[in-house]
Amino acid sequence: QVQLVESGGGLVQAGGSLRLSCVASRRTFSSHFMGWFRQAPGKEREFVATISGDGVYTYYSDSVRERFTISRDNDKNTMYLQMTNLEPEDTGVYYCAAHRAGHYYYTTSYDYWGQGTQVTVSS
């Protein structure tokens, strides 16, 4: 069992920045691809970014590429999402997840999820 805890969300004006963190409870964290997803009110949960276990490979959704940066520190069992130039459309609950198998884009490819952290971007 892996427990994931997100933090760092909040209210920010458009154009601002936030950094989200996700702390994992197990050392085997470093062997997993990890991902960030988000869910806006009334919408399905959507892929934001993913990072390989060694941090070498990263993939982003088109809507956040060039604005968000995913990273990880395996010594601290922690993954980050640096978000810059935030837009109102980025508003939602952000979740971190540990990848199990399958394409990184799909929620069904992840088997452990955090409780989420709210990000609200005002215009």
Side-chain angles (χ1 to χ4, degrees), residues 14-106:
S17 299
L18 283 173
R19 189 177 81 154
L20 306 183
S21 299
C22 170
V23 179
S25 62
R26 262 178 33 184
R27 188 65 184 166
T28 53
F29 166 84
S30 62
S31 64
H32 291 272
F33 262 80
M34 297 290 295
W36 286 101
F37 286 75
R38 67 187 181 188
Q39 188 165 19
K43 294 188 176 181
E44 292 187 354
R45 195 169 298 188
E46 66 174 3
F47 170 76
V48 174
T50 191
I51 186 168
S52 60
D54 57 7
V56 171
Y57 301 101
T58 58
Y59 304 95
Y60 298 90
S61 69
D62 290 342
S63 62
V64 307
R65 189 175 293 116
E66 307 300 332
R67 298 187 299 122
F68 291 8
T69 302
I70 189 171
S71 62
R72 65 193 297 164
D73 183 340
N74 288 340
D75 289 337
K76 297 181 179 179
N77 287 357
T78 303
M79 177 178 66
Y80 305 97
L81 185 68
Q82 178 67 51
M83 306 185 293
T84 63
N85 195 20
L86 283 160
E87 304 169 351
E89 293 74 21
D90 295 317
T91 294
V93 178
Y94 283 68
Y95 299 90
C96 68
H99 182 263
R100 178 188 71 244
H103 198 283
Y104 59 79
Y105 186 85
Y106 301 107

